[in-house]
Amino acid sequence: MNMSREAMWLAVGFIGQLAFTGRFVLQWLYSEYKKRSVIPVSFWYLSIVGSLLLLAYAIYRADPVFIIGQSFGIVVYLRNLQLIAKQKPVKDEQPSA
């Protein structure tokens, strides 16, 4: 099956949005499991994946508002992973504020 260019970019956008939304579902379910509010490290990885895919889609659509918004988010997500990596014991979760 040959996917058109437009259909391929729509798929990128939808997959990015799915990953981005999935991080909230992950955080919610993980917090319910732990019976307290926590942000698992995988939240930040899903944030990066979703944000990069949405950034690619925004660039394709030439949407400057969307491009700036997704670009800034990637910086925040990467910084959070750096901070987590610097913690003495590497934990599966990070307490939320």
Side-chain angles (χ1 to χ4, degrees):
M1 182 170 148
N2 192 8
M3 185 183 273
S4 73
R5 182 178 186 168
E6 186 65 23
M8 191 241 356
W9 279 110
L10 281 173
V12 167
F14 279 120
I15 292 168
Q17 190 61 52
L18 182 64
F20 208 68
T21 301
R23 70 196 184 120
F24 290 116
V25 174
L26 170 74
Q27 191 275 329
W28 171 45
L29 294 175
Y30 197 74
S31 291
E32 290 292 337
Y33 172 74
K34 292 290 188 175
K35 303 294 185 215
R36 60 188 173 92
S37 182
V38 291
I39 300 174
V41 174
S42 51
F43 175 92
W44 302 111
Y45 286 107
L46 272 175
S47 297
I48 291 169
V49 169
S51 202
L52 285 171
L53 289 171
L54 289 172
L55 177 61
Y57 183 73
I59 290 169
Y60 171 72
R61 291 286 183 193
D63 184 329
V65 173
F66 203 12
I67 291 168
I68 290 168
Q70 292 304 316
S71 297
F72 178 72
I74 292 167
V75 172
V76 174
Y77 310 141
L78 288 171
R79 180 62 179 148
N80 274 285
L81 286 173
Q82 283 180 328
L83 293 171
I84 291 167
K86 286 182 181 182
Q87 292 176 354
K88 288 183 184 179
V90 177
K91 294 183 179 180
D92 183 40
E93 62 189 54
Q94 168 188 339
S96 65

